[in-house]
Amino acid sequence: MSGGSGSVIPVGYMRQRCNNGYASSGDELEDGMLSRTPTSSAIPRPRTWMKVIENILWMTSAVYIIYLGDRHSNLIHVFCLDDRIKRLPFYFGFIGIFLNLGIVLFTNFFTRDTRKADDRWVPLPLSLAPVVTLVGVLSFFLFSFALWPIWSFLTLPLLVSLFMAFMVVSQYLLAGLGRIQVYTFRAD
């Protein structure tokens, strides 16, 4: 650091001393940590009303589907006791879902300690992303085939609604486990 009595001017997320020659280039920034701006994933963004309404619609549609089932009993009862479901593809669909969930939880929570604190959050290694996608699409098709005798063409929007509701609810369930790292800046 150079001496001098320059004033400190906050510029976005970094501070820079303003004296002769010190602010002339980006190489002479005061501190390495202060020169790095946080990544876009580290800054919590406020939710808009449109996103809140979308989330509420996905959750209410899932509650409606689960409560109504096949108009005679709820969805859990239909899944457990209905003979119209083709059981083998249905069970393989659940195996695919649990496999995907296991891969995602393992890569996000159990390998978190190996990453540096200033690395940006990467959901999956690139080698696992196609596997998770392929298993997810295969599970969707298996569920569609297994549940087609009950709801016919309405099976597709039913599965999409349940998937989207799961994605919305999972944000709130895992909020305490995967906290967003917020950068703090020194004031010296």
Side-chain angles (χ1 to χ4, degrees), residues 1 4 10 20 23-24 51 69 75 82 95 97 102 109 114 172:
M1 286 213 219
N20 294 337
S24 62
K51 291 289 182 187
L75 189 68
D82 200 342
I95 288 171
I97 285 178
F109 296 118
T114 61
Y172 300 114

Side-chain angles (χ1 to χ4, degrees), residues 37-43 118-121 183:
T37 59
T39 61
S40 62
S41 64
I43 300 171
D118 60 343
D119 285 348
R120 69 180 201 105
W121 184 75
Y183 289 91

